[in-house]
């Protein structure tokens, strides 16, 4: 089974969120099952640098306002599977993020950047491909590759089956109707049964409308996106396609996130040496400037600072959280107002609240290992990764029971404690009162070390490897190729 996995970011070369982690892990897990998977990536400077043995395999003509480009093939050891890289200097060879300039403003040619990614993905998945390796499945991810199924639809020859995975419905890639010609889509595509979305062109709607299957990253999120509350305007279309929509919970990279071999920790540990975790707690406190207070539960947070993540509720509740007693270590970046609010909270509660503003991969590992508990009060969370990293590190997640958080964390309540299935704490609805009540319960358990230890061990034993998820993706692929 040949699969082209088209994606706009991949760890460790370019990452803004969980999508990059999935792109790094799922293709490798599929490849371990025996599938022939190749990545298709934009040629950002970091990708060109990371894939050293890149060789030219085709030159592609421009079309519409999409410039000509070169297709390179390489193998980066860190990616584990071959990568096809689109080398288009005018669109991709620039400093800054994949979607924003260095000042945080969207690139003004994002429609062309990701229009080209989608166009090349569709070309390679069609009988017009210039290369010999022809996929049976085109696997698209989020809005950045959402136009690919539309290009395939308007292509008249033979084509691969397509699936689109929604990692986050909140980002849809919406551009004015004038972009249609630039993107080389036929005028008839601008229709309700096409790429049109409330008077604009939507990349994601195109993908959701035209892909042969839709997947999203947890079973609960698959249901939630069919509702007005979390459907971001696409709930009608998603409900209409519900029988072709499936939720598959992400796994995590269990090699990068292994407390026994993690190089970023002060001391390594596993379930049999969990007491060594305390050395990481001490080191984390020292590193971020928190007072050493053994009676205060240390709560970690690693997050993009956006409305989605619900950290405004934590800020509101801060005095009550600190009174538990607890300390908070936040590592995050994003919305400048939230960054400022956390900086301010840290200065007001110096020694009890630490706010590290920025993206720091190494520190994120120490936070996972050093914190006692990990808080994720997301308003919505398609899957979420940190709650699974936390479980693996024996750091009990405290989550709002939504999306993948609801699917991966079994909240500690009397029944789950008695059954030995609890792996964290969960609350709903997302209100200050419900969160505080849950934090109180977590603190109470933390003060009963033997019970806490039991839940830690249950969390650490949870299988969050990619293999099980990869098998489910394989089944989706098979359902599309076996007629
Ligand atoms: P999302 O994709 O919505 O950002 P996920 O939980 O799926 O949320 O994935 C977030 C990923 O990004 C995790 O691997 C998390 O550790 C990482 N991350 C987020 N913010 C930071 C940060 N400031 N520093 C280091 N890693 C971060």
């Amino acid at each position: 089974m040949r699969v082209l996995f088209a994606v706009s970011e991949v760890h460790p070369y370019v990452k803004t969120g969980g999508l990059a982690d999935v792109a790094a892990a799922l293709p490798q897990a599929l490849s371990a099952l025996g599938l022939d998977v190749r990545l298709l990536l934009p040629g950002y400077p970091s990708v060109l640098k990371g894939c050293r043995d890149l060789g030219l395999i085709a030159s592609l003509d421009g079309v519409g306002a999409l410039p000509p480009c070169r297709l390179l093939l390489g193998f980066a050891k860190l990616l584990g599977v071959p990568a096809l890289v689109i080398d288009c200097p005018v669109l991709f060879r620039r400093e800054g993020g994949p979607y924003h300039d260095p000042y945080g403003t969207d690139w003004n040619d994002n429609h062309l950047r990701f229009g080209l990614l989608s166009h090349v993905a569709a070309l390679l998945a069609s009988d017009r491909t210039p290369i010999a390796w022809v996929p049976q499945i085109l696997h698209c991810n989020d809005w950045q590759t959402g136009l690919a199924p539309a290009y395939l639809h308007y292509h008249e020859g033979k084509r691969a089956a397509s699936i689109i995975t929604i990692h986050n419905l909140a980002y849809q890639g919406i551009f004015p109707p004038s972009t249609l010609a630039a993107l080389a889509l036929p005028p008839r595509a601008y229709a309700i049964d096409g790429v049109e979305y409330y008077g604009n062109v939507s990349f994601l709607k195109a993908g959701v409308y035209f892909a042969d299957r839709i997947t999203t990253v947890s079973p609960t999120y698959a249901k939630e996106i069919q509702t007005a509350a979390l459907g971001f305007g696409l709930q009608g279309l998603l409900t209409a396609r519900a029988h072709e929509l499936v939720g598959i919970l992400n796994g995590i990279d269990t090699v990068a996130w292994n407390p026994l071999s993690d190089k970023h920790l002060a001391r390594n540990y596993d379930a049999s040496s969990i007491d060594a975790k305390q050395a990481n707690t001490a080191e984390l406190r020292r590193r971020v400037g928190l007072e050493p207070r053994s009676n205060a539960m240390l709560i970690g947070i690693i997050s993009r600072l956006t409305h989605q993540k619900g950290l405004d509720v934590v800020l509101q509740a801060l005095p009550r959280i600190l009174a538990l007693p607890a300390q908070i270590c936040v590592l995050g970046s994003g919305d400048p107002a939230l960054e400022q609010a956390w900086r301010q909270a840290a200065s007001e509660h110096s020694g009890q609240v630490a706010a590290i503003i920025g993206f720091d991969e190494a520190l994120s590992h120490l936070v996972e290992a050093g914190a006692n508990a990990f808080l994720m009060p997301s308003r919505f969370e398609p899957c979420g990764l940190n709650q699974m990293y936390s479980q693996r590190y024996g750091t009990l997640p405290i989550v709002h029971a939504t999306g993948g958080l609801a699917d991966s964390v079994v909240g500690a309540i009397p029944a789950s404690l008695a059954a030995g299935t609890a792996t964290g704490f969960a609350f709903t609805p997302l209100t200050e009162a419900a969160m505080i009540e849950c934090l109180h319960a977590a603190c109470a358990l933390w003060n009963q070390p033997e019970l806490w230890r039991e839940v830690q061990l249950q969390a650490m034993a949870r299988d969050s490897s990619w293999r099980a998820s990869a098998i489910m993706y394989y089944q989706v692929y098979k359902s599309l190729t076996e007629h």
Side-chain angles (χ1 to χ4, degrees):
M1 170 100 58
R2 291 175 306 277
V3 180
L4 182 64
F5 193 92
V7 70
S8 57
E9 52 183 275
V10 62
H11 178 78
Y13 302 121
V14 50
K15 167 166 166 173
T16 68
L19 173 59
D21 295 309
V22 175
L26 178 56
Q28 293 199 46
L30 289 164
S31 161
L33 294 179
L35 282 75
D36 178 5
V37 187
R38 292 188 183 189
L39 282 160
L40 178 67
L41 300 167
Y44 310 117
S46 57
V47 168
L48 294 170
K49 222 169 118 199
C51 305
R52 280 175 188 277
D53 58 347
L54 287 170
L56 178 69
I57 57 164
S59 293
L60 309 180
D61 295 332
V63 51
L66 302 175
C69 61
R70 302 184 323 143
L71 190 65
L72 313 176
L73 174 65
F75 188 92
K77 205 165 158 246
L78 290 171
L79 298 178
V81 298
L84 291 155
V85 176
I86 303 168
D87 185 25
C88 183
V90 284
L91 292 185
F92 298 131
R93 273 205 223 170
R94 54 177 87 150
E95 294 311 317
Y99 320 123
H100 308 123
D101 68 18
Y103 309 100
T105 309
D106 280 2
W107 294 113
N108 63 9
D109 56 359
N110 270 344
H111 62 296
L112 298 178
R113 286 158 65 82
F114 301 109
L116 183 68
L117 176 61
S118 298
H119 194 265
V120 173
L123 180 71
L124 297 179
S126 77
D127 56 5
R128 282 177 38 236
T129 179
I131 67 173
W133 184 89
V134 186
Q136 291 138 297
I137 297 286
L138 171 61
H139 190 152
C140 303
N141 293 278
D142 274 352
W143 74 265
Q144 295 87 348
T145 47
L147 276 193
Y151 285 124
L152 282 179
H153 172 81
Y154 296 112
H155 170 71
E156 275 163 12
K158 277 175 61 177
R159 61 182 189 86
S162 60
I163 88 165
I164 185 159
T165 298
I166 300 169
H167 301 262
N168 193 336
L169 197 59
Y171 304 96
Q172 302 194 351
I174 293 175
F175 302 98
S178 55
T179 51
L180 203 73
L183 292 165
L185 281 163
R188 69 177 192 282
Y190 190 70
I192 257 201
D193 55 357
V195 305
E196 188 272 345
Y197 178 75
Y198 295 108
N200 282 304
V201 170
S202 163
F203 278 43
L204 186 64
K205 185 244 166 155
V208 170
Y209 191 84
F210 287 116
D212 296 308
R213 284 284 188 286
I214 307 156
T215 73
T216 187
V217 288
S218 67
T220 296
Y221 193 61
K223 288 192 208 114
E224 289 171 342
I225 57 178
Q226 296 178 48
T227 66
L230 290 178
F232 288 94
L234 286 173
Q235 62 273 16
L237 176 55
L238 288 162
T239 305
R241 299 207 60 195
H243 55 293
E244 289 152 330
L245 165 65
V246 55
I248 301 175
L249 194 70
N250 285 337
I252 59 170
D253 181 338
T254 49
V255 175
W257 293 94
N258 180 354
L260 196 56
S261 53
D262 192 327
K263 291 192 174 55
H264 303 297
L265 308 196
R267 257 184 86 185
N268 291 112
Y269 61 95
D270 66 2
S272 67
S273 55
I274 202 166
D275 286 339
K277 187 173 175 356
Q278 286 171 19
N280 296 299
T281 307
E283 172 63 10
L284 177 60
R285 282 201 166 100
R286 195 191 61 73
R287 189 90 69 85
V288 302
L290 289 173
E291 283 171 15
R293 275 178 67 199
S294 58
N295 69 333
M297 186 167 84
L298 177 49
I299 300 172
I301 295 174
I302 304 167
S303 182
R304 288 184 296 117
L305 299 180
T306 61
H307 185 67
Q308 176 197 340
K309 302 294 181 178
L311 298 182
D312 48 311
V313 183
V314 180
L315 280 164
Q316 252 170 40
L318 210 50
R320 293 172 74 188
I321 298 176
L322 298 182
L324 284 168
Q327 295 177 320
I328 296 193
C329 172
V330 178
L331 167 61
S333 60
D335 178 352
L338 278 169
E339 289 186 353
Q340 186 45 34
W342 276 107
R343 277 199 192 97
Q344 169 123 12
S347 82
E348 274 168 20
H349 303 280
S350 162
Q352 311 308 321
V353 175
I356 292 81
I357 304 302
F359 198 95
D360 188 336
E361 180 83 34
L363 184 60
S364 74
H365 287 247
L366 185 63
V367 174
E368 284 295 0
N372 301 121
F374 192 94
L375 183 57
M376 292 182 81
S378 306
R379 291 196 158 78
F380 65 94
E381 194 60 80
C383 176
L385 295 169
N386 280 108
Q387 78 280 14
M388 295 191 269
Y389 301 155
S390 299
Q391 287 170 330
R392 202 159 149 75
Y393 281 60
T395 303
L396 295 186
I398 302 172
V399 304
H400 173 217
T402 182
L405 300 175
D407 292 331
S408 54
V409 176
V410 179
I413 52 171
S416 61
L417 286 170
T421 54
T423 56
F425 302 86
F427 61 91
T428 191
L430 175 56
T431 57
E432 183 178 334
M435 185 177 73
I436 288 288
E437 195 185 318
C438 190
L439 283 166
H440 267 291
C443 250
L445 199 78
W446 184 65
N447 283 311
Q448 300 170 72
E450 276 176 27
L451 277 181
W452 182 266
R453 170 75 52 100
E454 255 174 55
V455 182
Q456 276 183 306
L457 294 180
Q458 278 152 211
M460 291 178 93
R462 184 179 175 275
D463 179 10
S464 49
S465 68
W466 268 101
R467 193 182 143 78
S469 319
I471 289 171
M472 286 191 244
Y473 280 102
Y474 180 44
Q475 279 158 356
V476 175
Y477 299 162
K478 275 209 300 203
S479 73
L480 287 169
T481 51
E482 284 172 358
H483 298 294

